[in-house]
Every structure is written in structure tokens, then in C-alpha cells.
Amino acid sequence: MMHLLLKFAAVCRSGNLRVSTSEVIDAMTHLQWIDFSDEAGFKAALKANFAKSRRDQGNFDRLYHLFFHEMQTSIACDPKGGQNDELRQIIATLRENEDLHEPVDQALIDFLQGDPAAFLQEMYNLENREEYRSPALKSNLGQLSGRLAVMLRINALKGAIGQASTGSGADPAGGPTAERLLGRLDRAYKMLTEDNRPNNDALKKVRSNETHFKDIGERSFAALSPAEILQMQEIIKKLVRKLRDRMGRRYAAGSRRYLDVKKTLRHSGRFQGIPIEIKYRQRPLKKAKIVALCDVSGSVWSAARFMLNMLYSMQDCFSAVHSFAFISATTDITEIFEKHEADRAVEKILSSRKIEFGALTDYGEVFQQFRRNHMHLVNKRTTVIIVGDGRSNYHNPREEILADIREKCRRIIWLNPEPEDFWHTGDSEINTYKAYCHELRPCRNLNQLVDFVEDLVL
Amino acid sequence: MEFESIEDVMKRLEKAGYIASREIATVVFLAAAGNKPILVEGPAGSGKTELARALSTCMNRHKIRLQCYEGLDEAKALYEWEYAKQLLYTQMIKEKINDLISGADTIADAVERIADQEDAFFSERFLLARPLLQAISADDPTVLLIDEIDKADPEFEAFLLELLSEFQVSIPELGIRKAKHIPMVVLTSNNYRDMSDALKRRCLHLYIDYPEPALEAKIIRLKLPGIEKRLADKMIAVINRIRELDLKKRPCISETIDWAQALAVLRIDEITREAMSDTINVICKYRSDADMVKASMDRILN
Ligand SMILES: Nc1ncnc2c1ncn2[C@@H]1O[C@H](COP(=O)(O)OP(=O)(O)OP(=O)(O)O)[C@@H](O)[C@H]1O
Ligand SMILES: [Mg+2]
């Protein structure tokens, strides 16, 4: 049992589950109390130890099935019973084959023998490898071509199995053993094309919203006339004042009742040492840090500008606000917003030569740059806000970077300024990205924006 | 061992008013046998908090609850010195203090003499035990519910970690307090944010989803023994179809129970369109949700 469990733990690790030694030991202990004829109990015990969040459960189920069902169905045994010499022979021939000496080949042969760990690891590396490519040559072919290469290896291996089994003489068409091996390779092939995103059913989806303002509150940002934009800015100013008031009251309520002994004793001097006046400590509430990533291409920009406008008018409600504009590259706009009033800042950004307004939006590249240059801004107090439609011109979405950001931050909130009916059409990657967000909400008009900001600060 | 078997867990939980799936019972069994905390996740209202309550009932233990929120700190979770009381006492025994320092030659000497008495002021008498300390110092084993840990700050989570691995706390003035009994710990999370790996490592994980129809029917019959089986089954089919809709707040078990009660009071024993629109407000808390249900009534009822 120990051996099997260790092997399964290795498979889980290669399959991107974090399983520590202490968890393996715990599982081992727990299995002593489980009746093995009760598979549900057996699985539940492993699951409780190896998949420690809902997000990991889908992946766990997949690996569990692969390891305990698909891999344990005994390819090694002849249907007539008895050990299968043919299998051993074929595997031995494959291992010696000069043409099959790449790591992927060996991983695949392991897979044939019932140990998927190395193959899972290859797949993991494929998905997570850094791409170094010239900016001129943008494509998402990196992962695809990597996968293609593995597929070719699978085909080569299939050929080799055919040869090895006919070579062994028993059956010119390749016996049942060869057939089962080929079947197993088909399984490996299928795994390459399987979608394996975390289960994100805890995602907070905000749909309906309050009507804070009639008419102008319902109009899409992108459709506002210059006069209405001015009007909007007035409304936002008032709104921010009101929100601040409400926040102030909450803070007052939150920071009461902490006796300050030193202060109390100091004041008691005036009353012959009797602490008549009790003094309380003001304990400031810890404030959140904000990092905002704003798509400034096309129509998306109008949503981003109002969002930034509101965030910066409330800057003192957060311990820090960092903001970045992006199209195909990130540009730090924190300073512009800190130094200038919102309108001025917006103008400056729109005329900024640092931003390549003609470029094609590339979220993957943007995430990559953000991770490389600005990841130090993100910690467990940081809320990352992304404003964008997720339309990435079919470039590689690099979702694993967003996953990485999620690990380091407190929350990721995605604001999508597109009408919801279009979210999952064409080159929109919002479906891909939402697996890594804590919250996803439409943000096309003032009502939705106000809802969001209220939620954020109150 | 606390429980004899997984079946024993199911039986005793049911007696305490909680219908557990086999998976829930398995994890509870393992946690109790191995003294491990359980980290429970699941949608709102799927019975996370209720599980802790039922556990305390069926294990015949006190339940101690710590509700987490942003800004929760050790003073609210572990212990606090009752400064006001300490001050009051200093005033009341002022005379005694004067006696104490009356013969002192220097200020240093006086301070020294007072310091000798310090223990009296930092003793149990002035210590206000909060839930975590209560659970650790209880004379009998307890069930400790740490509710909505995802709402607490990461700093608090780190502090909790230490407690969950050692089951002891150090109070500088009093020394180390070690738990007399390791409490059965249940942590719940609604996934507002992700828990740290370190915390997860110390816990067994359990996801409580909306129950299978058969289990939910059992829950309904437990709460409303009089309900007709046919009606209960139909209700649950309808509720599950409503859960598939993209609602702001999906109906949870307590809504099913409330709905069953409402139907009973109104003496409705057939779920028709009319019955639905009369009682929809029990199922949906938001206007927009109720409207969405009404719009998809045909699909929901058939
Ligand atoms: N398995 C069950 N058996 C009996 N009753 C249940 C069960 N699950 C849930 N309930 C009922 O559902 C109600 C709601 O459950 P509970 O408050 O525990 O949900 P929760 O998961 O803690 O929700 P939240 O995430 O909102 O805190 C309980 O009061 C209880 O009556
Ligand atoms: Mg609860």
C-alpha cells in the first residue's frame, strides 16, 4: 500500500497538485482506518488529504481515475491469466530502441507500464514553460507546437510498438497486448487535448445592479457625448464625497474601544492619580492595496477611465493604488494619476507616446510583463483589478500567469466593459481567465461602476 | 476512538439533526480519529456551520464559536487583559500600595517593591479569555468552530496556524498554556479569498455541495416529518432546476425547508404555476431572481 500511495502522490505532484510529505503520511495513517472494499471511502480519504481546495478537486478526480482505474486495469496480465511475457518483451524492445531516447519517449514508455508521473510532468512543463520570442513574431504557437511534438512522438511510439510486437512473432497484426498498449497511447494523446482548468464555482459573478442613476447611469460609457462626460465627472465627484462620508463613519465605529493605558495614566495625573478619564487607542483599520490593470484599447478605455477616476478620487481610502495602462505592453500610469486631476491625467495618457495605441491587444504578453516587472507590488493585501474585454487577438492567453498572480494576491476582480452577450464570442478569452478570478462583473455604465466601488470600499 | 465507524458517524449526526453524505461522514470520522481540523468549503447555506453544531451535539461537547471578519485580532480571538478592571483594583487598594512603599528609601526601591506584586495584577483574575483560549483551556473536550476564516486577514491566518499545530499558546505574563484536550476544530470558508498552503496542510479538506436529491429529501422529512413523499420529491426537483439558473443567490437548504413550511401552512400539496408564484419569495431573496424564475417557469415545472 505504501508503495502505491507514494506512487500516486508522485503522480499528483506531476499533475500540478501540491502534496507535501506530511500529507502523504496523514493519508497513510487514515487509510488504516478505512475499509478498502469501500472505494468511496478510500477515495474520500485520499481526496481530503491531497486536494485541499475546491479548485483542485476536478484535477484530483482526473488523476485519481487515471491512476487507480485506467492505469491499474491490468495490461500486464493476459486475459487467459498468467504474466504476460509479450508485454515485457515489447517494453524491453522499446527501451532499447535507439530512436526513442528522448525524455518524452521514456515518459511515454513509463506511461505504457502504468506510471503516468513522468508524462504528466512533461505536460506540465509544456504548459508552463516560458516563451522567449521576438516581439515581431507574435503567435500562440509555442504551446501548440510543443504539444504537436509530443503527438509526433506518440505516433513514432505506435509504429515502434507495431514493429516490436510483430517482431516477437506471435501475431503478424500485433496481438491483444499490442492493441491494449496502443489503446493506452490513445489515452495519452487525449490527455494532450484535454482542458484542465481549475474548478472555479466560488467565482463571484455580479449580474444585476442597483439603479443609482436613471438614464445617464444606464448609458454605456462608450456612447457618452463630450457634454455627458463632463456631467459624469460632476456626478462622480459628488458620489465620491458621499462614499467617503459613509466610509468615515464606518471607520469611526471600527476603531473604538481600545484602552490606551499610557495615555490614561498620563491624564490621571491631573486628578491625583485617579484614572477618571479613560483614553482609547485609535487603531487604524488596515487598508487594502490596489493594483489596477486597464486595457486602453478601443472602446474599452472609456470604462477604464471612469474606474480610474473614481479610484484616484478615493485614493486615501487605500494604502496604495498602482495603475497600469496596457494594449500590448504595460505602462505605469500611477504617477500621472497621482500628480494630475483625473481629466488631465486621462488626456495625458491618451497623448502618451509610451503607449502604442496602434498595437494589437495581447493579454498574455501584458501579464508576462507585469509579472516580470511589477510582481513585487502584489502581496496578500493586494486586490488586483483588471479592466478589459479579454480580447487578445488569438494570442497565447498565458492563463498560468494569472494563476500565479492569484497565488500572490488577495483577490482578483475582473471588470468587463463588453455587453455580456459578447463575452464568449470570437477572440474573447474571458472564459479562460475567469477560472482564475475571484470576482467577475460587467462594467459598462455608471450604475455598475458605482456598485463595484461600493462593494470594494464598504 | 470517538466514533466507531463511518456508519456510526452518520447515525449519530442524524440523531443530532444532520443528514450527512458518506463523504462528509468519512472526513469527519478521519478528522476525529486523527485529531485533525477540518476545513470546510461550499456554497452559502449548504450546511457548513450546521455540521459543527451537529458535531457538538452528537459528541456531547460544548461548541465554541469564533466568527472571523476583517480586522479580527488576537485580542478578540485569544485573550485580552482587562485593563479597566486592573485600574479599578489599583484604586481600591491604593492604601495598601502606600503601605507597601512607605519604608522605601529611593524611588528605585519603591518600584522594585511594586514590581514584586505585579503577578497579582497579571493573573487569571484579570484575563479575559476569548474563544480560542476558551477552547484550549476548557476542562472538557470541545468543538471549536472557526467560521468564515476567509474573511480574516492573512496575518490572523498565520497566527492561527501556530495554534492549530501546537494547540498551545504562550501568554507572556503567565507562561505557556497547553490544551488539556485537543478540540475538534471545524473551519469554514466561503472562498472570498484563497487559504494559504500552510493552513491547508494542517487540515483535512471537505467540500459540502448542495445535497443529492435523495439526501435533501431526507433533510426535509427530518425537519417536517409530516410532509408527503411525493410533494417533497417534486419540490426538490424544482429547487434543483432553480439552482441551475444564473441567479444572484441560489436557493440553499434552508430555503427548501422554508418553502416546505410555507407550502404546509398554505395547505398547498401540488406544485402548480400558481403555487409557485405565491411562494416564490420564500425561495428567492432578490426581486431580479424571482423574475428570472418566473420567466423560466415552464422549464422548471416540467
Ligand atoms: N445536512 C443537513 N442536515 C440537516 N439540515 C441541514 C443540512 N444542511 C443544511 N441544513 C440546514 O440548512 C441551514 C443552513 O445551513 P448553514 O447555516 O450551516 O449553512 P452554511 O453553509 O454555514 O452557510 P453560510 O455559508 O451562509 O454560512 C441550517 O440551519 C440547517 O437547518
Ligand atoms: Mg455558516
Side-chain angles (χ1 to χ4, degrees):
Chain A
M1 194 64 225
M2 190 65 188
H3 180 66
L4 195 66
L5 190 67
L6 284 174
K7 235 168 122 182
F8 180 57
V11 166
C12 287
R13 287 185 193 121
S14 316
N16 198 16
L17 282 180
R18 269 180 224 154
V19 177
S20 68
T21 311
S22 70
E23 280 155 334
V24 179
I25 296 170
D26 286 345
M28 199 62 218
T29 317
H30 292 158
L31 288 182
Q32 294 169 8
W33 301 321
I34 291 281
D35 175 5
F36 284 177
S37 62
D38 163 25
E39 200 202 326
F42 176 75
K43 186 176 171 186
L46 288 184
K47 199 168 180 168
N49 280 296
F50 286 5
K52 296 244 168 129
S53 79
R54 171 66 172 162
R55 293 174 67 71
D56 290 333
Q57 288 192 333
N59 197 14
F60 175 88
D61 287 341
R62 178 183 76 110
L63 294 168
Y64 179 91
H65 187 72
L66 178 71
F67 186 78
F68 286 105
H69 291 270
E70 292 170 293
M71 290 287 141
Q72 303 298 325
T73 44
S74 50
I75 236 177
C77 287
D78 214 280
K80 296 171 204 100
Q83 274 291 317
N84 191 333
D85 285 335
E86 197 190 348
L87 172 85
R88 228 172 294 141
Q89 232 169 40
I90 294 178
I91 296 282
T93 323
L94 292 177
R95 291 255 188 236
E96 278 158 24
N97 192 331
E98 287 292 328
D99 297 333
L100 299 175
H101 268 172
E102 294 200 24
V104 190
D105 299 323
Q106 296 303 314
L108 281 165
I109 298 174
D110 283 355
F111 192 87
L112 286 176
Q113 280 188 301
D115 180 3
F119 181 60
L120 285 163
Q121 191 64 47
E122 288 286 334
M123 278 182 36
Y124 177 82
N125 297 344
L126 208 62
E127 277 159 34
N128 290 278
R129 72 171 176 201
E130 282 291 323
E131 280 179 76
Y132 300 102
R133 45 174 201 196
S134 65
L137 209 91
K138 285 207 168 159
S139 75
N140 59 349
L141 288 182
Q143 287 175 10
L144 280 184
S145 67
R147 245 178 246 162
L148 201 67
V150 178
M151 289 176 178
L152 290 176
R153 295 321 296 166
I154 291 179
N155 279 340
L157 199 60
K158 278 186 174 172
I161 291 174
Q163 274 172 14
S165 63
T166 44
S168 70
D171 190 337
T177 308
E179 205 140 289
R180 268 172 284 160
L181 286 177
L182 292 177
R184 191 162 273 187
L185 278 181
D186 284 339
R187 178 72 188 101
Y189 195 92
K190 219 176 107 215
M191 279 168 63
L192 278 170
T193 55
E194 264 170 358
D195 203 358
N196 184 29
R197 267 184 213 122
N199 204 329
N200 197 16
D201 45 15
L203 174 71
K204 180 171 165 195
K205 275 185 275 180
V206 180
R207 285 279 156 74
S208 40
N209 57 283
E210 306 256 332
T211 315
H212 301 275
F213 301 94
K214 277 232 148 52
D215 192 37
I216 195 160
E218 293 156 354
R219 297 276 297 281
S220 155
F221 288 131
L224 296 175
S225 68
E228 284 171 321
I229 290 184
L230 283 183
Q231 193 192 342
M232 188 74 98
Q233 276 154 0
E234 278 310 303
I235 295 181
I236 288 183
K237 254 186 219 146
K238 268 190 229 143
L239 239 161
V240 165
R241 220 173 304 133
K242 251 202 274 171
L243 268 175
R244 273 247 195 73
D245 268 8
R246 276 169 66 190
M247 263 189 96
R249 253 175 279 147
R250 197 185 65 139
Y251 273 55
S255 58
R256 53 172 191 118
R257 303 280 103 182
Y258 276 89
L259 185 91
D260 188 330
V261 184
K262 276 198 202 125
K263 234 183 185 173
T264 307
L265 289 180
R266 219 180 307 127
H267 279 258
S268 71
R270 284 198 272 149
F271 313 104
Q272 299 181 319
I274 303 170
I276 288 177
E277 244 181 278
I278 305 274
K279 293 284 173 194
Y280 293 104
R281 225 180 319 160
Q282 289 290 328
R283 211 174 45 100
L285 278 186
K286 292 181 201 128
K287 292 178 182 176
K289 268 175 64 178
I290 304 279
V291 168
L293 283 165
C294 302
D295 188 340
V296 294
S297 67
S299 60
V300 185
W301 165 238
S302 44
R305 74 179 278 175
F306 289 115
M307 208 272 312
L308 285 174
N309 188 340
M310 281 198 86
L311 277 190
Y312 277 94
S313 348
M314 315 193 58
Q315 228 184 110
D316 50 328
C317 304
F318 308 105
S319 74
V321 181
H322 292 278
S323 46
F324 299 89
F326 70 82
I327 293 180
S328 63
T330 54
T331 310
D332 193 335
I333 53 171
T334 309
E335 216 180 298
I336 301 184
F337 264 93
E338 275 172 356
K339 277 204 189 134
H340 305 279
E341 250 238 290
D343 316 340
R344 209 41 213 116
V346 168
E347 244 171 69
K348 284 219 162 234
I349 289 166
L350 287 177
S351 61
S352 164
R353 248 171 299 151
K354 278 196 220 140
I355 304 175
E356 250 191 286
F357 280 96
L360 289 177
T361 317
D362 182 347
Y363 279 77
E365 178 63 25
V366 165
F367 289 151
Q368 165 127 324
Q369 284 191 17
F370 178 77
R371 178 166 70 179
R372 198 181 320 122
N373 304 325
H374 309 293
M375 205 58 160
H376 60 275
L377 296 174
V378 176
N379 65 25
K380 282 288 169 199
R381 304 213 71 84
T382 314
T383 299
V384 177
I385 302 171
I386 301 171
V387 188
D389 54 10
R391 294 202 177 271
S392 201
N393 297 294
Y394 301 102
H395 292 313
N396 186 352
R398 305 300 307 271
E399 57 197 280
E400 73 281 0
I401 303 182
L402 197 59
D404 202 17
I405 298 176
R406 178 178 171 126
E407 291 249 315
K408 305 217 162 53
C409 74
R410 176 174 167 82
R411 276 166 76 70
I412 298 181
I413 306 177
W414 193 298
L415 304 178
N416 193 335
E418 265 197 328
E420 235 183 297
D421 293 342
F422 296 111
W423 282 11
H424 307 307
T425 62
D427 60 345
S428 171
E429 296 285 355
I430 199 74
N431 235 354
T432 316
Y433 291 138
K434 77 177 182 196
Y436 306 95
C437 298
H438 290 90
E439 200 172 317
L440 169 62
R441 44 205 308 164
C443 186
R444 334 186 36 225
N445 58 37
L446 186 62
N447 285 338
Q448 289 167 339
L449 180 62
V450 173
D451 264 1
F452 162 67
V453 176
E454 281 189 349
D455 239 26
L456 187 69
V457 297
L458 293 180
Chain B
M1 255 195 243
E2 179 67 43
F3 294 100
E4 280 162 28
S5 62
I6 295 171
E7 287 72 23
D8 184 40
V9 176
M10 294 175 87
K11 224 171 44 212
R12 282 167 60 184
L13 278 176
E14 180 165 348
K15 243 200 218 143
Y18 192 89
I19 307 292
S21 69
R22 201 171 167 83
E23 190 175 350
I24 295 177
T26 306
V27 176
V28 166
F29 176 74
L30 295 176
N35 269 334
K36 276 241 156 196
I38 312 177
L39 172 62
V40 191
E41 287 181 315
S46 58
K48 301 182 288 296
T49 311
E50 183 74 4
L51 174 62
R53 189 210 50 79
L55 275 174
S56 80
T57 308
C58 80
M59 294 167 94
N60 201 9
R61 296 183 178 194
H62 261 302
K63 187 185 92 180
I64 296 175
R65 175 173 182 191
L66 176 65
Q67 173 67 45
C68 300
Y69 51 88
E70 226 178 312
L72 173 68
D73 58 8
E74 292 177 34
K76 286 278 170 290
L78 191 60
Y79 71 88
E80 204 170 12
W81 289 108
E82 285 195 275
Y83 292 119
K85 198 164 161 191
Q86 288 170 330
L87 282 177
L88 192 66
Y89 272 63
T90 49
Q91 289 314 304
M92 293 192 327
I93 56 171
K94 219 171 161 191
E95 297 298 306
K96 261 271 169 271
I97 295 181
N98 281 337
D99 291 352
L100 190 70
I101 57 173
S102 62
D105 299 330
T106 60
I107 290 182
D109 189 17
V111 168
E112 200 56 41
R113 289 191 195 182
I114 291 178
D116 280 345
Q117 308 300 316
E118 207 176 75
D119 283 355
F121 281 94
F122 287 97
S123 63
E124 296 284 332
R125 189 185 300 284
F126 300 102
L127 189 72
L128 194 60
R130 302 289 190 188
L132 294 179
L133 187 61
Q134 286 168 15
I136 280 196
S137 36
D139 289 326
D140 299 312
T142 56
V143 171
L144 171 62
L145 168 63
I146 302 176
D147 220 359
E148 304 186 4
I149 175 74
D150 51 330
K151 299 279 163 56
D153 301 306
E155 292 85 350
F156 182 76
E157 192 184 325
F159 152 78
L160 200 59
L161 264 179
E162 230 179 277
L163 188 93
L164 290 183
S165 39
E166 309 289 330
F167 286 104
Q168 65 179 31
V169 292
S170 126
I171 303 173
E173 296 86 351
L174 295 181
I176 287 175
R177 290 291 190 80
K178 208 166 165 48
K180 293 183 189 138
H181 307 276
I182 294 186
M184 170 104 195
V185 184
V186 178
L187 301 108
T188 79
S189 159
N190 279 336
N191 270 306
Y192 179 75
R193 63 179 178 85
D194 303 340
M195 295 294 107
S196 72
D197 283 340
L199 182 84
K200 288 190 275 189
R201 260 201 304 280
R202 285 178 179 64
C203 304
L204 278 176
H205 179 265
L206 173 64
Y207 182 77
I208 305 188
D209 208 341
Y210 297 117
E212 296 283 310
L215 276 193
E216 194 163 8
K218 221 170 153 186
I219 297 174
I220 296 290
R221 268 178 281 134
L222 185 78
K223 306 271 165 172
L224 283 128
I227 195 165
E228 224 182 300
K229 183 175 178 325
R230 184 190 50 84
L231 178 65
D233 289 348
K234 174 80 188 183
M235 275 181 54
I236 283 154
V238 168
I239 283 277
N240 274 306
R241 258 172 258 139
I242 294 179
R243 280 181 191 146
E244 284 164 18
L245 298 178
D246 212 345
L247 302 179
K248 204 162 169 178
K249 184 180 179 312
R250 284 187 281 168
C252 59
I253 301 170
S254 39
E255 266 91 54
T256 317
I257 297 171
D258 291 347
W259 191 33
Q261 258 153 1
L263 293 178
V265 170
L266 297 171
R267 294 178 194 285
I268 297 174
D269 51 12
E270 198 70 56
I271 298 179
T272 58
R273 282 185 90 89
E274 203 194 351
M276 279 295 287
S277 31
D278 284 348
T279 52
I280 188 73
N281 291 330
V282 182
I283 306 172
C284 298
K285 296 283 176 270
Y286 292 93
R287 255 290 289 290
S288 56
D289 285 355
D291 290 344
M292 195 186 282
V293 170
K294 279 182 198 158
S296 359
M297 199 74 100
D298 285 332
R299 196 153 48 87
I300 289 168
L301 286 181
N302 299 302

